[in-house]
């Protein structure tokens, strides 16, 4: 077996083992992947994985940004625009500046590469923090703010990152010019994202073929990212804007059959990309350490501690004052959005784990400048970025559940259950109205209309009961009993078609067609 094949086998086996362990131990999978990759990377004679920098940022990042934007809630983002903006824009700027000052004073960096490091470690990762928050049922608004922050702060940090990278590569930096490029790039990225979103939406209206639509959705983030990159606009904002635009319009563009397949495809794709990136954190570390052989271990630990401390303390120092100070200064804000208990900003301030975006940005730092020299302090920047990812992801990620429990942070009951019941109730009422309208049509049989009307009447009573505080739960118990009975019958159907396949009466293709219908019917039993 060749070395490349052996490395690939080891990495895939390690990813699978870490994912299984994370699932069984109920620990967010990025933590196990980082630790597993680090363990493999530090084994003497272990695999050395070296990636082309541009490949990571151009190939991996666009689909991650697009998927996060597509599946985000535009209404929730609007409702929490102020706290999300303060974190996604204000905190990113504050973190970038603080880290740059520390790197300049302690590590002797030039301003441009110091700001590169600050921009790399500024954005948070949504996977670990929101996974923990959802599992422990913290208030819905906390989860929304963390998700919204991680979506928008990627764009802010990577726009800053591009400006700082350009300054290092070109060999000169002007604050005025950098600020101009920042705003021009942001505006250009949003404009390109909207344009690509409109074009793709127009194209997808004409397509009714799930594999083709999934392929179009896969290349869409690159359609937005690559032109923006070529034109000097914010490629990140272009991909995010396209994702938000198409996510909002998806109900009118995607057929039910395509939606089932496409959403499952994207969930798997994002999971695989994140898994591979987190594993690469550990695998890349030995290569980075080899490039820092002239710096003592104690000095490296000191640098890492200083940068990690700057990242963590800046977030804490930012979250608490910006949570309470605006309310203290604005009566209207206090009335509209009262003071939250201090435990909530404490959770948000400790949930600043770094991950895939910081890793991709660090690995994508160019190897050389325009003058032909090496990118100054590149290996040290990458090392510090890895240190921040490791410390925030492992230390904060493992301690966050304990912090949530110790502070007594509990769900506020706003998990969307009432909104879902209201939506399903209105949908059932609309169905009944349509059945009544169609009952006089010649092609509608009386018994068929009556049977369908009865099913929707039962559904309407069931969801009305969920909204009734005085309901004794009898209707819901009947529904659960029916679901159990129906699932037992569906299992009998599945067992029979498997027996037919095993005896050669039908082939696998026929079995899967019938099985898919049974699975869809099973999934609808919760409705």
């Amino acid at each position: 077996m060749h070395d490349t094949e052996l490395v690939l086998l080891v990495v895939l086996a390690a990813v699978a083992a870490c994912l299984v362990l994370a699932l069984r131990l109920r620990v967010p999978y990025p933590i196990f992947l980082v630790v597993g990759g680090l363990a493999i990377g530090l084994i003497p004679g272990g695999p050395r994985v070296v990636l082309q920098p541009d490949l990571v940022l151009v190939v991996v990042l666009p689909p991650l940004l697009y998927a996060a934007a597509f599946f985000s809630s535009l209404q929730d983002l609007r409702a929490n625009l102020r706290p999300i903006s303060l974190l996604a824009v204000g905190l990113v700027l504050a973190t970038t500046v603080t880290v740059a000052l520390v790197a300049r004073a302690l590590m002797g960096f030039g301003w441009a590469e110091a700001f590169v490091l600050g921009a790399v470690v500024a954005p948070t990762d949504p996977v670990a923090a929101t996974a923990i928050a959802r599992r422990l049922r913290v208030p819905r608004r906390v989860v929304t703010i963390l998700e919204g922050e991680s979506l928008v702060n990627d764009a802010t940090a990577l726009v800053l990152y591009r400006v700082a990278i350009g300054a290092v590569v070109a060999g000169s930096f002007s604050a005025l010019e950098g600020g101009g490029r920042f705003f021009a790039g942001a505006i250009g990225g949003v404009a390109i994202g909207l344009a690509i979103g409109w074009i793709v939406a127009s194209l997808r209206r004409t397509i009714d073929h799930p594999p083709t639509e999934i392929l179009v959705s896969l290349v869409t983030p690159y359609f937005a990212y690559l032109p923006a990159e070529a034109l000097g606009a914010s490629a990140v904002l272009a991909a995010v804007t396209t994702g938000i635009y198409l996510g909002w319009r998806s109900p009118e563009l995607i057929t039910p059959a395509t939606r089932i397949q496409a959403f499952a495809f994207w969930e798997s794709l994002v999971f695989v990309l994140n898994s591979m990136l987190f594993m690469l954190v550990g695998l890349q570390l030995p290569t980075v350490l080899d490039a820092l052989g002239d710096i003592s271990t104690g000095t490296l630990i000191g640098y890492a501690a200083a940068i990690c401390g700057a990242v963590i303390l800046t977030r804490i120092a930012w979250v608490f004052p910006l949570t309470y100070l605006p309310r203290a200064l604005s009566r209207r804000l206090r009335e509209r959005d009262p003071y939250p208990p201090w435990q909530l900003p404490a959770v948000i301030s400790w949930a600043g784990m770094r991950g895939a975006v910081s890793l991709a940005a660090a690995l994508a730092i160019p190897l050389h400048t325009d003058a032909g020299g090496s990118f100054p302090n590149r290996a040290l920047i990458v090392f510090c970025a890895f240190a921040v990812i490791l410390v925030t992801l492992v230390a904060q990620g493992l301690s966050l559940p304990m912090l949530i429990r110790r502070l007594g942070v509990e769900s506020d009951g706003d998990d969307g259950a009432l909104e879902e019941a209201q939506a399903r109730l209105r949908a059932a009422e609309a169905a009944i109205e349509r059945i009544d309208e169609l009952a006089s049509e010649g092609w509608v049989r009386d018994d068929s209309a009556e049977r369908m009307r009865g099913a929707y009447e039962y559904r309407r009573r069931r969801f009305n009961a969920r909204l009734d505080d005085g309901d004794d739960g009898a209707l819901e118990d009947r529904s659960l009993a029916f679901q159990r009975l129906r699932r037992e019958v569906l299992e009998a159907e599945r067992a029979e078609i498997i027996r037919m396949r095993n005896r050669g009466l039908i082939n696998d293709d026929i079995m899967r067609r019938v099985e898919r219908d049974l699975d869809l019917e099973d999934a609808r039993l919760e409705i």
Side-chain angles (χ1 to χ4, degrees):
M1 183 178 291
H2 299 296
D3 290 344
T4 302
E5 295 169 344
L6 180 60
V7 169
L8 181 60
L9 177 62
V10 170
V11 171
L12 291 177
V15 169
C18 290
L19 291 175
V20 171
L21 275 174
L23 183 64
R24 291 191 175 183
L25 298 178
R26 297 177 61 83
V27 174
Y29 72 88
I31 296 175
F32 264 104
L33 289 171
V34 168
V35 175
L38 181 61
I40 294 173
L42 294 178
I43 295 175
R48 291 292 187 267
V49 180
V50 180
L51 297 178
Q52 289 298 321
D54 289 339
L55 188 67
V56 178
L57 203 58
V58 175
V59 175
V60 176
L61 195 57
L64 291 177
L65 293 170
Y66 174 81
F70 185 95
F71 292 105
S72 65
S73 169
L74 184 58
Q75 291 177 325
D76 285 344
L77 292 177
R78 286 174 177 170
N80 295 281
L81 184 60
R82 185 187 60 82
I84 289 174
S85 299
L86 289 172
L87 292 172
V89 179
L91 180 55
V92 166
L93 291 170
T95 302
T96 301
V97 171
T98 303
V99 170
L101 289 172
V102 172
R104 172 78 174 177
L106 182 64
M107 303 163 67
F109 277 25
W111 281 117
E113 62 259 35
F115 274 97
V116 170
L117 175 57
V120 165
V121 299
T124 56
D125 177 74
V127 177
T130 53
I132 294 170
R134 287 184 183 278
R135 191 177 76 235
L136 297 179
R137 296 180 59 80
V138 302
R140 178 182 175 185
R141 189 182 187 193
V142 172
V143 178
T144 298
I145 291 173
L146 291 175
E147 288 181 335
E149 176 199 5
S150 64
L151 172 64
V152 182
N153 73 7
D154 293 347
T156 306
L158 290 175
V159 169
L160 291 172
Y161 168 84
R162 284 298 188 190
V163 172
I165 288 287
V168 176
V169 171
S172 62
F173 177 74
S174 165
L176 182 61
E177 181 183 352
R181 288 177 59 188
F182 178 89
F183 289 107
I187 294 170
V190 171
I192 292 172
L194 289 174
I196 296 298
W198 183 84
I199 293 171
V200 172
S202 301
L203 173 65
R204 294 190 67 170
R205 282 200 198 93
T206 65
I207 303 174
D208 186 14
H209 183 243
T212 302
E213 289 195 70
I214 292 172
L215 177 61
V216 171
S217 73
L218 178 60
V219 298
T220 293
Y222 300 104
F223 286 159
Y225 191 95
L226 296 177
E229 182 77 7
L231 294 172
S234 171
V236 173
L237 276 176
V240 168
T241 302
T242 300
I244 292 176
Y245 180 87
L246 292 175
W248 179 258
R249 299 194 58 185
S250 64
E252 66 187 76
L253 300 174
I254 307 176
T255 62
T258 300
R259 188 157 42 242
I260 292 171
Q261 297 179 50
F263 285 12
F265 166 81
W266 273 100
E267 183 178 5
S268 299
L269 177 65
V270 169
F271 182 74
V272 169
L273 290 177
N274 271 313
S275 298
M276 297 306 295
L277 277 177
F278 283 115
M279 178 62 67
L280 285 172
V281 173
L283 290 174
Q284 289 280 295
L285 188 57
T287 303
V288 175
L289 292 176
D290 290 342
L292 295 170
D294 56 337
I295 303 177
S296 69
T297 301
T299 301
L300 288 176
I301 293 175
Y303 288 164
I307 299 300
C308 291
V311 169
I312 294 171
L313 294 176
T314 299
R315 184 176 181 88
I316 296 172
W318 181 270
V319 169
F320 277 95
L322 269 297
T323 298
Y324 295 106
L325 186 58
R327 292 175 173 84
L329 298 175
S330 172
R331 180 179 177 181
R332 287 183 58 189
L333 180 58
R334 286 197 304 274
E335 292 173 350
R336 186 176 72 251
D337 189 7
Y339 290 107
W342 68 268
Q343 289 90 343
L344 298 188
V347 170
I348 291 174
S349 67
W350 197 247
M353 282 82 88
R354 271 58 178 176
V357 174
S358 293
L359 174 61
L363 295 178
I365 295 173
L367 299 174
H368 303 286
T369 66
D370 288 345
S374 299
F375 193 100
N377 295 305
R378 182 185 187 274
L380 197 51
I381 293 173
V382 176
F383 167 77
C384 289
F386 283 180
V388 170
I389 295 170
L390 285 170
V391 170
T392 59
L393 193 60
V394 177
Q396 289 186 297
L398 290 176
S399 61
L400 184 59
M402 181 176 64
L403 177 69
I404 291 173
R405 295 190 187 97
R406 287 288 181 90
L407 296 180
V409 177
E410 299 177 350
S411 172
D412 52 7
D414 184 16
D415 58 358
L418 292 181
E419 293 178 16
E420 181 182 347
Q422 289 172 344
R424 295 193 186 280
L425 174 61
R426 294 295 297 273
E429 291 173 344
I432 293 170
E433 291 177 8
R434 187 58 177 157
I435 292 170
D436 292 339
E437 292 172 1
L438 295 173
S440 59
E441 298 284 339
W443 55 273
V444 178
R445 298 175 60 90
D446 291 341
D447 57 342
S448 298
E450 192 58 35
R451 186 166 61 251
M452 188 172 290
R453 185 183 292 109
Y456 278 104
E457 286 286 359
Y458 178 79
R459 188 176 294 180
R460 181 168 68 174
R461 292 196 305 272
R462 181 185 172 199
F463 291 115
N464 254 328
R466 290 188 182 182
L467 299 171
D468 182 6
D469 293 335
D471 178 66
D472 61 1
L475 194 60
E476 190 67 20
D477 290 340
R478 287 176 54 192
S479 176
L480 293 175
F482 172 78
Q483 290 178 28
R484 180 180 177 183
L485 173 63
R486 188 72 185 101
R487 284 201 169 94
E488 292 288 343
V489 175
L490 289 172
E491 282 300 320
E493 293 186 70
R494 288 191 186 94
E496 181 58 29
I497 64 170
I498 292 172
R499 277 195 292 269
M500 293 180 68
R501 190 277 309 269
N502 293 344
R503 284 156 37 191
L505 300 177
I506 60 175
N507 61 25
D508 286 89
D509 185 51
I510 299 299
M511 181 198 72
R512 291 193 183 100
R513 278 192 236 168
V514 179
E515 190 176 48
R516 178 177 181 273
D517 290 340
L518 296 176
D519 291 344
L520 290 173
E521 193 168 346
D522 193 319
R524 283 187 57 81
L525 285 176
E526 298 294 338
I527 301 175

